[in-house]
Structures are given as structure tokens and as C-alpha cells.
Amino acid sequence: MEFIFQTFELYHAFLLIFGLLTGILVGALPGLTPTMGVALTIPFTFSLGATEGLIILGGIYCGSVYGGSIPAILFNVPGAPASVATTFDGYPMTEKGEARKALEIATISSVIGGLFGMAMLLFFAPLFADLSLKFGPTESFWVAIFGLTVIAAISEGSTSKNLIGGSIGVMLSFVGIHTITGTTRFTFGMDSLVGGFHVVAVLIGLFAFPQALRIIEKLTSIDKRQPLIYKVKKSSIKQSFVDVLGKPKSVSLGSMVGGFIGLIPGAGGNIASILAYNEVKRFSKNKQFFGKGEKKGVIASESANNAMVGGSLIPLLTLGIPGSPTAAIFLGGLLIHGIWPGRTLFIDNAEVAYTFLYSMIAAQLFLLVLGLSLIKYMTKLSAIPGYIMAPVILSFSIIGAYTMQNNIFDIHTVILIGFIMFFLQKLTFSPAPIALGFILGPIAEEGLLHGVQVGSSHGSALSYFFSGGINIVLFLLIFFTVVVSFIQKIVIHKENSLKQCCVALKWKHLFYPSAIVWLIVAILDIVIIISIQSLPFEQRLFPQITLSILLGLIIIEYMKVIGTNHEQKMKMMPNTIPFKWSMLPILLFVTIVSFLTEVIGFYLQVLLLMMAVPLYFRFVKKNKDIVLPKVFFTAIIFTLILFTVFTLIVKVPLPVPDIF
């Protein structure tokens, strides 16, 4: 009781609320991840006591994980890697006018998941710490593979295209220094590629940048004024509680999966939310509603990534092994304050440890009140006109990419990947499988190579991967997921169409432009497989496996194209907004301006973007409802706000023009 009273002291409660609000802001800004939020705050805790410093860091950790759901739901832009799965159903709910409902159930689910994770931490830490020690390289490998195979089950559209996207993401993760050998690969002699692609830059490029381009595209496809991106329907908090608590299977599965994945060192909330989403969809009777605004999808994702917070702190506090990237930064905060994690933590530093634990539970309660109170203000963001929101997203995309490493190459990564992803979505590719492949690729490769090395020392690498209860269970889950997905998406739904494709196959189909493209890609894949034979075994093993799987998927797509006549092909195409060549100039302009950050400076770039898009619609599209003085005023005020926050307060070094 003494520790509980200390937690709710006015000073400690104030610090906790401050940390939560800061964390929510960090999570809501694309590019500012929970890891970055905790890392930036650690220096400000030097002058505080150990208890006070940890309370602030804990509040930021919890708040930032929750805050990532806000842009994920409102704009289809995950504020953090752990919020990728929230976009699957959160943004479709916004499109249907249920943004307020989505934010409410996300807040409630986050709190329930967070409480579950903290209960694990408080009552079962020693037990689960022993379990986390049983996860070796093979277990990590199977968990990563399980996450990759989930792509086929959770993603809408063509299974083969989704798996191709996952393979592309895995291949992007190969670029840079190989973690096992310490040597570079696939850098093509470019120094910028030595460090590889940063995960935040890739996620912003896959989700945020193309979303801004799509907003511009939608504005060009309408003739009338559209002041609101999506209208927001009214919602009842009481009914939202009923929606969450009335679906105990979704929130329970999400919390359990999230807490369990948090135990695995290095896994993180991104894997937790994806796997939880898959399991809830697997056990749902209405699988067809997922990806179209299903509440259970939001509940599963948000309960999982918040339960992961408590789970990741278990191996950290009891063994000194961080269970997530953010927990690894958190470890630095503990050591700076002279606290050494381990089994003696709760004996030598009992007052600090228990006060911190109870403050993490209190954080969930405060988060519930803060989150629900802020929703009515959050939903007002959807009332921002598209010609203003698009440059705002572009500006945050650029600053979010740069602030991670102060590297211009990260900005170029965002722009190139974003521009390519915009057109890939026209070809019905989804960004989620690519993101998942990029995140899980390094975990799978490290687990594979370490498992091969350890297994060889035990006599047989193959038997090592299939020995042990955890390995067997994970393998069976993977097998079950693949078989069920095959039956549901190929045998049941495609059986008749496959027969028709075989009948419709004609020689002229071989000369379809899309068939020729797939053939060229297949040849390129084969060339790459042959060319990497000169690499050391450790560097080429997993790339060869990935490229071989990719080749098989490309052949499947090739056969589908040549086995489908033109009329069938048109029926199979989804209802998307056709690309208008008239919008190409504005797309190229915003892309080029974004690319010139180092030349013109960040703040001049923001001004140009904020004014260029509205001016385009005012003079080119003849939208007389756009008031020019209001546009100029908004652009200047927004730029000044960014300057105040990032230069005067946070003091982030941003690109300035070369003349300075």
C-alpha cells in the first residue's frame, strides 16, 4: 500500500500524466516512434531521481504505443511500427464515418491490453522470465516465419501478390551490413546503402507518403468542394465499452498474444499486433468483414501492442534482456540511474521497482481518461481539407524520416519507396505485406543462421529446428495457417476460375503487356539467384531461399495473367480511382520539392508544399472555394509551429539551404 500511495502522490501523478501526454504526441506524429520518444527523454531525466525518471519514461512508453493508433485510424498512416495492423480496419472505419468509434474502441482495447501486460509483469514476472529464456534462435526463426506466412491469411486480394510483397520487404532488409558476418552486401558500391534502410523510413515511405499522394489524387477526381476528408458520425462511449467487452475473445486473444510476444527478446509490438490480428481473424465466423472496417481487428491489434509493453519489461527487469527495441533503450535509462536489472532488483531497489510497477498500472487508468477525453479533438483532424492535410502529411513524413538518424538518405528512401508504392497500389499490391516482410526478415535470417550453426555443433541442423516443444508447436501453427489459407483462398474461391483460365488460355495471351512484365521480372529473379552464388554461404543462404520462393510466386502470377482473357481480367480488377494524367504535374512537383530538402532547407520546403497544393486546385482545377489569404496564413502558421517545436524546443538539427 505504501508503494501505491507513492504512485498517486501529486508530484508522481503529474509526472506520469506529463509522460503520457508526451508519449501520445510522439506516437501520433509519423516517424517519431516509441523508441525515439524514450531515447530523446532520457537526457531530461538526469536531474531527477530514479523513481521520477522511470515514471516519466514509463508514461512515454505507454502513451507512444497507444498514440500510434491515432494517425493509423484517421489517415491510414501508422504512427509507430506496432500500429501497422491497426490500419487494416481502423482506416476503413474512418472511411465509413466511424472514426470516433474506432478511436474509442482503440483506447479501451489499449487500456485492457496494457492492464493485462502489467498484471503479467507484476504477478508472474519470474515464471515468464524462465519461459523467455527457452526462446533460442530456432524459436525466433519460427516466430518470424509464422509472421510471414500470416501475410497470406490476413491480407485482402491476391494471395500470391501479397506474398510477393512480403518477399520484396524481406529483400529490402538484406541491404547493408550483414549482422552475422559484419560485411556489406547488396550495396552496389553506394556508401549510403551501407547502413541499410531504416525501418521508420521504410514504413513512412510505404504508408504516409503514398497516402498524401492518394489524397491529392482523390481531390483531382471530384468537381465539387470537399471540405471534409470523411464525415464523423456520433458515437457513444458506453456503447464502445459494450463493443469491446462484448467481444471478450478478441480482446483476450489480442492481450495474450501481445503479452507472450513481448517476452521474446527483440520481437516487439509490430509482430504482436500482426499475429493477434491473424488469430482473431482465424477464430472469427465473419472473416470476410476483416479489412473492411471490422471492430474486432482494431480491438485485436491495439490490445496486443499495448499488452506487449508489460511483456517486454518482464525479461528486462528480471533478466536484463530487453523484449523490444524500446525496452532496450529503457535498459539504458535504468543503468543511467544506477539500477541494475536482475533477480535482485526487487530486493536491492524495492522502493524504486515497485513504485515504477504500480505507476505503469496507474498509467493505464490515466490513459483511459486522457484518451477518451481527447477523442473529440482528435476527430476534428479529419475535418481538415485534403489540400491542407496532404502537404501536412508530406512535411511530417520528411521530418520523421530525417530525425531518426539526421540522414538525408532516409528522406530519399521515403520519397522513392512512397512514389513506387503509390503506383504499386494501382496494381493491387498492399503496403502491409512489404512492411511485415521488412520487419521480420532480419529476425528470420538471424534465427536461421544461428540455428544452423548451433544445430551443426549438435550433429544435425535440421533436427535442431524440429526438436523441442516450442519449435514443434510453432511449426504446426505455420503448417495449419498455410493449409487453411490455401483451402480458403485458392481451392474454394478460385477452383472454378482456374478451370476457366485453362480453357481460355490462348497464344495471344502470351503477349499481354502484364504477361511480358512478369516474364521479365522472373528472368531478373533468376539472374540475381545465379549472381549471388559468389557470396559467402551465410550471406546468400536466406536471400536464395527468398528469391526462389519469389520466383515461384512470379510464375503463379504469370500463369494467372496468360490464363485469363481480357474480359475476365477487367472483372477481377478492384474498383479503384483510375490514374489521371492531369494530376501528374502536381505529383511530380511535390515529389521533387520533397527530394530537394538538402538544397532548399526544410522550412522553405514546408512553405512550398503548403502553398503549392492549394494553389494547384485554386488555379488549375478552378476551385474558387479555396481562399488564398487563408491558405497563406495557414502555411506560415504551420511552418512557425514546426520551427518552434523542432528547432527551439526539441532542438532537432534539420536540413538548411546550402547557402547557409
Side-chain angles (χ1 to χ4, degrees), residues 600-623:
I600 63 178
F602 174 71
Y603 295 112
L604 178 58
Q605 178 189 66
V606 171
L607 269 176
L608 288 175
L609 291 174
M610 290 294 294
M611 291 190 292
V613 177
L615 289 176
Y616 171 80
F617 290 105
R618 174 65 179 83
F619 293 107
V620 179
K621 292 298 179 180
K622 308 297 183 183
N623 189 339

PDB file of all heavy atoms in Angstrom, residues 600-623:
ATOM      1  N   ILE A 600      17.039  23.324 -50.522  1.00  0.00           N
ATOM      2  CA  ILE A 600      16.216  24.491 -50.180  1.00  0.00           C
ATOM      3  C   ILE A 600      15.947  24.613 -48.691  1.00  0.00           C
ATOM      4  O   ILE A 600      15.439  25.644 -48.236  1.00  0.00           O
ATOM      5  CB  ILE A 600      14.874  24.450 -50.943  1.00  0.00           C
ATOM      6  CG1 ILE A 600      14.049  23.224 -50.528  1.00  0.00           C
ATOM      7  CG2 ILE A 600      15.116  24.435 -52.443  1.00  0.00           C
ATOM      8  CD1 ILE A 600      12.694  23.149 -51.199  1.00  0.00           C
ATOM      9  N   GLY A 601      16.275  23.586 -47.907  1.00  0.00           N
ATOM     10  CA  GLY A 601      16.025  23.637 -46.473  1.00  0.00           C
ATOM     11  C   GLY A 601      14.625  23.154 -46.122  1.00  0.00           C
ATOM     12  O   GLY A 601      13.699  23.241 -46.940  1.00  0.00           O
ATOM     13  N   PHE A 602      14.478  22.649 -44.913  1.00  0.00           N
ATOM     14  CA  PHE A 602      13.216  22.022 -44.531  1.00  0.00           C
ATOM     15  C   PHE A 602      12.061  23.013 -44.453  1.00  0.00           C
ATOM     16  O   PHE A 602      10.971  22.757 -44.976  1.00  0.00           O
ATOM     17  CB  PHE A 602      13.379  21.313 -43.181  1.00  0.00           C
ATOM     18  CG  PHE A 602      12.096  20.756 -42.641  1.00  0.00           C
ATOM     19  CD1 PHE A 602      11.493  19.651 -43.218  1.00  0.00           C
ATOM     20  CD2 PHE A 602      11.465  21.366 -41.564  1.00  0.00           C
ATOM     21  CE1 PHE A 602      10.291  19.154 -42.734  1.00  0.00           C
ATOM     22  CE2 PHE A 602      10.269  20.871 -41.060  1.00  0.00           C
ATOM     23  CZ  PHE A 602       9.690  19.760 -41.652  1.00  0.00           C
ATOM     24  N   TYR A 603      12.270  24.167 -43.819  1.00  0.00           N
ATOM     25  CA  TYR A 603      11.154  25.079 -43.580  1.00  0.00           C
ATOM     26  C   TYR A 603      10.685  25.764 -44.867  1.00  0.00           C
ATOM     27  O   TYR A 603       9.477  25.991 -45.046  1.00  0.00           O
ATOM     28  CB  TYR A 603      11.531  26.112 -42.522  1.00  0.00           C
ATOM     29  CG  TYR A 603      11.764  25.477 -41.171  1.00  0.00           C
ATOM     30  CD1 TYR A 603      13.020  25.443 -40.592  1.00  0.00           C
ATOM     31  CD2 TYR A 603      10.718  24.860 -40.498  1.00  0.00           C
ATOM     32  CE1 TYR A 603      13.229  24.833 -39.359  1.00  0.00           C
ATOM     33  CE2 TYR A 603      10.915  24.246 -39.271  1.00  0.00           C
ATOM     34  CZ  TYR A 603      12.174  24.231 -38.712  1.00  0.00           C
ATOM     35  OH  TYR A 603      12.375  23.609 -37.495  1.00  0.00           O
ATOM     36  N   LEU A 604      11.607  26.082 -45.766  1.00  0.00           N
ATOM     37  CA  LEU A 604      11.194  26.614 -47.062  1.00  0.00           C
ATOM     38  C   LEU A 604      10.428  25.542 -47.845  1.00  0.00           C
ATOM     39  O   LEU A 604       9.454  25.837 -48.544  1.00  0.00           O
ATOM     40  CB  LEU A 604      12.414  27.081 -47.858  1.00  0.00           C
ATOM     41  CG  LEU A 604      12.127  27.613 -49.268  1.00  0.00           C
ATOM     42  CD1 LEU A 604      11.156  28.791 -49.203  1.00  0.00           C
ATOM     43  CD2 LEU A 604      13.431  28.018 -49.962  1.00  0.00           C
ATOM     44  N   GLN A 605      10.865  24.319 -47.686  1.00  0.00           N
ATOM     45  CA  GLN A 605      10.179  23.201 -48.328  1.00  0.00           C
ATOM     46  C   GLN A 605       8.738  23.065 -47.822  1.00  0.00           C
ATOM     47  O   GLN A 605       7.799  22.868 -48.601  1.00  0.00           O
ATOM     48  CB  GLN A 605      10.956  21.914 -48.049  1.00  0.00           C
ATOM     49  CG  GLN A 605      10.348  20.651 -48.623  1.00  0.00           C
ATOM     50  CD  GLN A 605      11.071  19.439 -48.113  1.00  0.00           C
ATOM     51  OE1 GLN A 605      11.034  19.143 -46.918  1.00  0.00           O
ATOM     52  NE2 GLN A 605      11.760  18.731 -49.002  1.00  0.00           N
ATOM     53  N   VAL A 606       8.557  23.199 -46.504  1.00  0.00           N
ATOM     54  CA  VAL A 606       7.215  23.117 -45.923  1.00  0.00           C
ATOM     55  C   VAL A 606       6.330  24.219 -46.494  1.00  0.00           C
ATOM     56  O   VAL A 606       5.173  23.987 -46.875  1.00  0.00           O
ATOM     57  CB  VAL A 606       7.284  23.211 -44.388  1.00  0.00           C
ATOM     58  CG1 VAL A 606       5.887  23.339 -43.793  1.00  0.00           C
ATOM     59  CG2 VAL A 606       7.981  21.987 -43.811  1.00  0.00           C
ATOM     60  N   LEU A 607       6.861  25.442 -46.566  1.00  0.00           N
ATOM     61  CA  LEU A 607       6.092  26.556 -47.118  1.00  0.00           C
ATOM     62  C   LEU A 607       5.666  26.287 -48.561  1.00  0.00           C
ATOM     63  O   LEU A 607       4.512  26.523 -48.950  1.00  0.00           O
ATOM     64  CB  LEU A 607       6.917  27.841 -47.053  1.00  0.00           C
ATOM     65  CG  LEU A 607       6.772  28.712 -45.801  1.00  0.00           C
ATOM     66  CD1 LEU A 607       7.731  29.887 -45.869  1.00  0.00           C
ATOM     67  CD2 LEU A 607       5.342  29.197 -45.635  1.00  0.00           C
ATOM     68  N   LEU A 608       6.591  25.763 -49.358  1.00  0.00           N
ATOM     69  CA  LEU A 608       6.281  25.487 -50.760  1.00  0.00           C
ATOM     70  C   LEU A 608       5.197  24.423 -50.879  1.00  0.00           C
ATOM     71  O   LEU A 608       4.266  24.554 -51.690  1.00  0.00           O
ATOM     72  CB  LEU A 608       7.550  25.036 -51.496  1.00  0.00           C
ATOM     73  CG  LEU A 608       8.602  26.118 -51.759  1.00  0.00           C
ATOM     74  CD1 LEU A 608       9.857  25.498 -52.376  1.00  0.00           C
ATOM     75  CD2 LEU A 608       8.029  27.185 -52.684  1.00  0.00           C
ATOM     76  N   LEU A 609       5.313  23.366 -50.082  1.00  0.00           N
ATOM     77  CA  LEU A 609       4.323  22.289 -50.143  1.00  0.00           C
ATOM     78  C   LEU A 609       2.960  22.774 -49.666  1.00  0.00           C
ATOM     79  O   LEU A 609       1.919  22.454 -50.263  1.00  0.00           O
ATOM     80  CB  LEU A 609       4.783  21.101 -49.301  1.00  0.00           C
ATOM     81  CG  LEU A 609       5.989  20.311 -49.812  1.00  0.00           C
ATOM     82  CD1 LEU A 609       6.417  19.256 -48.799  1.00  0.00           C
ATOM     83  CD2 LEU A 609       5.678  19.641 -51.144  1.00  0.00           C
ATOM     84  N   MET A 610       2.949  23.552 -48.578  1.00  0.00           N
ATOM     85  CA  MET A 610       1.688  24.028 -48.012  1.00  0.00           C
ATOM     86  C   MET A 610       0.954  24.970 -48.970  1.00  0.00           C
ATOM     87  O   MET A 610      -0.280  25.056 -48.929  1.00  0.00           O
ATOM     88  CB  MET A 610       1.941  24.738 -46.683  1.00  0.00           C
ATOM     89  CG  MET A 610       2.358  23.810 -45.548  1.00  0.00           C
ATOM     90  SD  MET A 610       1.049  22.668 -45.051  1.00  0.00           S
ATOM     91  CE  MET A 610      -0.156  23.794 -44.380  1.00  0.00           C
ATOM     92  N   MET A 611       1.700  25.672 -49.829  1.00  0.00           N
ATOM     93  CA  MET A 611       1.060  26.615 -50.751  1.00  0.00           C
ATOM     94  C   MET A 611       0.836  26.019 -52.133  1.00  0.00           C
ATOM     95  O   MET A 611      -0.125  26.367 -52.820  1.00  0.00           O
ATOM     96  CB  MET A 611       1.903  27.891 -50.853  1.00  0.00           C
ATOM     97  CG  MET A 611       1.912  28.724 -49.574  1.00  0.00           C
ATOM     98  SD  MET A 611       2.657  30.365 -49.766  1.00  0.00           S
ATOM     99  CE  MET A 611       4.373  29.915 -50.059  1.00  0.00           C
ATOM    100  N   ALA A 612       1.703  25.119 -52.562  1.00  0.00           N
ATOM    101  CA  ALA A 612       1.629  24.604 -53.932  1.00  0.00           C
ATOM    102  C   ALA A 612       0.353  23.800 -54.177  1.00  0.00           C
ATOM    103  O   ALA A 612      -0.317  23.988 -55.199  1.00  0.00           O
ATOM    104  CB  ALA A 612       2.855  23.737 -54.227  1.00  0.00           C
ATOM    105  N   VAL A 613       0.011  22.898 -53.239  1.00  0.00           N
ATOM    106  CA  VAL A 613      -1.154  22.038 -53.445  1.00  0.00           C
ATOM    107  C   VAL A 613      -2.451  22.853 -53.504  1.00  0.00           C
ATOM    108  O   VAL A 613      -3.245  22.703 -54.443  1.00  0.00           O
ATOM    109  CB  VAL A 613      -1.215  20.944 -52.356  1.00  0.00           C
ATOM    110  CG1 VAL A 613      -2.475  20.092 -52.532  1.00  0.00           C
ATOM    111  CG2 VAL A 613       0.023  20.056 -52.420  1.00  0.00           C
ATOM    112  N   PRO A 614      -2.720  23.753 -52.518  1.00  0.00           N
ATOM    113  CA  PRO A 614      -3.947  24.565 -52.635  1.00  0.00           C
ATOM    114  C   PRO A 614      -3.962  25.442 -53.882  1.00  0.00           C
ATOM    115  O   PRO A 614      -5.019  25.601 -54.514  1.00  0.00           O
ATOM    116  CB  PRO A 614      -3.925  25.422 -51.360  1.00  0.00           C
ATOM    117  CG  PRO A 614      -3.058  24.686 -50.411  1.00  0.00           C
ATOM    118  CD  PRO A 614      -2.022  24.022 -51.257  1.00  0.00           C
ATOM    119  N   LEU A 615      -2.808  26.028 -54.249  1.00  0.00           N
ATOM    120  CA  LEU A 615      -2.767  26.880 -55.433  1.00  0.00           C
ATOM    121  C   LEU A 615      -3.068  26.089 -56.699  1.00  0.00           C
ATOM    122  O   LEU A 615      -3.699  26.608 -57.638  1.00  0.00           O
ATOM    123  CB  LEU A 615      -1.393  27.559 -55.547  1.00  0.00           C
ATOM    124  CG  LEU A 615      -1.098  28.656 -54.513  1.00  0.00           C
ATOM    125  CD1 LEU A 615       0.324  29.178 -54.679  1.00  0.00           C
ATOM    126  CD2 LEU A 615      -2.092  29.795 -54.635  1.00  0.00           C
ATOM    127  N   TYR A 616      -2.631  24.855 -56.731  1.00  0.00           N
ATOM    128  CA  TYR A 616      -2.912  23.996 -57.885  1.00  0.00           C
ATOM    129  C   TYR A 616      -4.412  23.809 -58.050  1.00  0.00           C
ATOM    130  O   TYR A 616      -4.954  23.942 -59.162  1.00  0.00           O
ATOM    131  CB  TYR A 616      -2.210  22.648 -57.699  1.00  0.00           C
ATOM    132  CG  TYR A 616      -2.612  21.612 -58.728  1.00  0.00           C
ATOM    133  CD1 TYR A 616      -2.047  21.615 -60.001  1.00  0.00           C
ATOM    134  CD2 TYR A 616      -3.554  20.637 -58.432  1.00  0.00           C
ATOM    135  CE1 TYR A 616      -2.408  20.668 -60.953  1.00  0.00           C
ATOM    136  CE2 TYR A 616      -3.929  19.686 -59.365  1.00  0.00           C
ATOM    137  CZ  TYR A 616      -3.352  19.703 -60.627  1.00  0.00           C
ATOM    138  OH  TYR A 616      -3.724  18.766 -61.553  1.00  0.00           O
ATOM    139  N   PHE A 617      -5.098  23.517 -56.959  1.00  0.00           N
ATOM    140  CA  PHE A 617      -6.538  23.301 -57.046  1.00  0.00           C
ATOM    141  C   PHE A 617      -7.303  24.622 -57.244  1.00  0.00           C
ATOM    142  O   PHE A 617      -8.395  24.622 -57.802  1.00  0.00           O
ATOM    143  CB  PHE A 617      -7.048  22.569 -55.798  1.00  0.00           C
ATOM    144  CG  PHE A 617      -6.601  21.145 -55.729  1.00  0.00           C
ATOM    145  CD1 PHE A 617      -5.605  20.752 -54.859  1.00  0.00           C
ATOM    146  CD2 PHE A 617      -7.162  20.192 -56.556  1.00  0.00           C
ATOM    147  CE1 PHE A 617      -5.174  19.442 -54.803  1.00  0.00           C
ATOM    148  CE2 PHE A 617      -6.745  18.875 -56.516  1.00  0.00           C
ATOM    149  CZ  PHE A 617      -5.747  18.496 -55.638  1.00  0.00           C
ATOM    150  N   ARG A 618      -6.707  25.724 -56.807  1.00  0.00           N
ATOM    151  CA  ARG A 618      -7.379  27.026 -56.980  1.00  0.00           C
ATOM    152  C   ARG A 618      -7.309  27.484 -58.429  1.00  0.00           C
ATOM    153  O   ARG A 618      -8.316  27.960 -58.983  1.00  0.00           O
ATOM    154  CB  ARG A 618      -6.727  28.065 -56.058  1.00  0.00           C
ATOM    155  CG  ARG A 618      -7.243  29.488 -56.249  1.00  0.00           C
ATOM    156  CD  ARG A 618      -8.718  29.591 -55.871  1.00  0.00           C
ATOM    157  NE  ARG A 618      -9.225  30.945 -56.016  1.00  0.00           N
ATOM    158  CZ  ARG A 618      -9.635  31.468 -57.155  1.00  0.00           C
ATOM    159  NH1 ARG A 618      -9.575  30.741 -58.274  1.00  0.00           N
ATOM    160  NH2 ARG A 618     -10.093  32.705 -57.208  1.00  0.00           N
ATOM    161  N   PHE A 619      -6.153  27.362 -59.062  1.00  0.00           N
ATOM    162  CA  PHE A 619      -5.990  27.937 -60.398  1.00  0.00           C
ATOM    163  C   PHE A 619      -6.086  26.906 -61.523  1.00  0.00           C
ATOM    164  O   PHE A 619      -6.584  27.215 -62.593  1.00  0.00           O
ATOM    165  CB  PHE A 619      -4.641  28.671 -60.479  1.00  0.00           C
ATOM    166  CG  PHE A 619      -4.572  29.890 -59.614  1.00  0.00           C
ATOM    167  CD1 PHE A 619      -3.818  29.887 -58.449  1.00  0.00           C
ATOM    168  CD2 PHE A 619      -5.266  31.035 -59.946  1.00  0.00           C
ATOM    169  CE1 PHE A 619      -3.760  31.013 -57.640  1.00  0.00           C
ATOM    170  CE2 PHE A 619      -5.213  32.176 -59.143  1.00  0.00           C
ATOM    171  CZ  PHE A 619      -4.456  32.160 -57.986  1.00  0.00           C
ATOM    172  N   VAL A 620      -5.606  25.691 -61.278  1.00  0.00           N
ATOM    173  CA  VAL A 620      -5.662  24.673 -62.327  1.00  0.00           C
ATOM    174  C   VAL A 620      -7.015  23.973 -62.340  1.00  0.00           C
ATOM    175  O   VAL A 620      -7.623  23.776 -63.387  1.00  0.00           O
ATOM    176  CB  VAL A 620      -4.519  23.647 -62.161  1.00  0.00           C
ATOM    177  CG1 VAL A 620      -4.599  22.567 -63.245  1.00  0.00           C
ATOM    178  CG2 VAL A 620      -3.166  24.342 -62.220  1.00  0.00           C
ATOM    179  N   LYS A 621      -7.501  23.588 -61.148  1.00  0.00           N
ATOM    180  CA  LYS A 621      -8.790  22.900 -61.054  1.00  0.00           C
ATOM    181  C   LYS A 621      -9.966  23.868 -60.868  1.00  0.00           C
ATOM    182  O   LYS A 621     -11.112  23.420 -60.741  1.00  0.00           O
ATOM    183  CB  LYS A 621      -8.763  21.900 -59.887  1.00  0.00           C
ATOM    184  CG  LYS A 621      -7.827  20.727 -60.134  1.00  0.00           C
ATOM    185  CD  LYS A 621      -8.273  19.912 -61.344  1.00  0.00           C
ATOM    186  CE  LYS A 621      -7.348  18.768 -61.625  1.00  0.00           C
ATOM    187  NZ  LYS A 621      -7.788  17.972 -62.798  1.00  0.00           N
ATOM    188  N   LYS A 622      -9.650  25.165 -60.834  1.00  0.00           N
ATOM    189  CA  LYS A 622     -10.686  26.203 -60.781  1.00  0.00           C
ATOM    190  C   LYS A 622     -11.609  26.064 -59.564  1.00  0.00           C
ATOM    191  O   LYS A 622     -12.810  26.286 -59.643  1.00  0.00           O
ATOM    192  CB  LYS A 622     -11.539  26.180 -62.054  1.00  0.00           C
ATOM    193  CG  LYS A 622     -10.751  26.224 -63.348  1.00  0.00           C
ATOM    194  CD  LYS A 622      -9.950  27.502 -63.492  1.00  0.00           C
ATOM    195  CE  LYS A 622      -9.227  27.543 -64.828  1.00  0.00           C
ATOM    196  NZ  LYS A 622      -8.384  28.753 -64.967  1.00  0.00           N
ATOM    197  N   ASN A 623     -11.029  25.678 -58.422  1.00  0.00           N
ATOM    198  CA  ASN A 623     -11.816  25.584 -57.191  1.00  0.00           C
ATOM    199  C   ASN A 623     -11.803  26.943 -56.506  1.00  0.00           C
ATOM    200  O   ASN A 623     -10.876  27.304 -55.796  1.00  0.00           O
ATOM    201  CB  ASN A 623     -11.229  24.517 -56.267  1.00  0.00           C
ATOM    202  CG  ASN A 623     -12.120  24.214 -55.080  1.00  0.00           C
ATOM    203  OD1 ASN A 623     -12.974  25.021 -54.712  1.00  0.00           O
ATOM    204  ND2 ASN A 623     -11.929  23.070 -54.470  1.00  0.00           N
TER     205      ASN A 623
END
